[in-house]
Amino acid sequence: PLLGPEYPLPSAAAAVASALLTECFGFASGLTGYASRGLVDWGVAGRFLVISVPSALAGALLAGNVAGYPVLLRSVYAALMIGLALYLT
């Protein structure tokens, strides 16, 4: 994976990390806009953060170990999404 010919990334985990960092800036921009208009349901946002922040930290710690196992990575991601959906409903 490459971020351009001048910035080769050493692994799939590095590519995922750079993509997530880029997404954080986009999400922060959107959150700022919605929050300034009073359109954020902070109760739902808080419930989402209870699951997503620990999952993100665990994923950051384990990324190098599971990057070589795409089936495991997809399975864990699917389980987290289903668990989050069940938690939020």
Side-chain angles (χ1 to χ4, degrees):
L2 298 173
L3 187 61
E6 301 85 25
Y7 305 104
L9 297 173
S11 67
V16 169
S18 65
L20 290 175
L21 181 62
T22 302
E23 289 177 19
C24 284
F25 287 107
F27 291 144
S29 173
L31 175 62
T32 301
Y34 281 109
S36 68
R37 292 176 183 84
L39 299 173
V40 176
D41 184 343
W42 292 107
V44 173
R47 291 176 58 205
F48 183 80
L49 288 173
V50 166
I51 300 295
S52 62
V53 170
S55 297
L57 293 174
L61 294 173
L62 297 173
N65 297 329
V66 298
Y69 304 98
V71 173
L72 175 63
L73 190 58
R74 288 185 194 117
S75 300
V76 170
Y77 179 77
L80 285 171
M81 293 299 103
I82 291 169
L84 182 60
L86 294 172
Y87 174 72
L88 290 176
T89 56

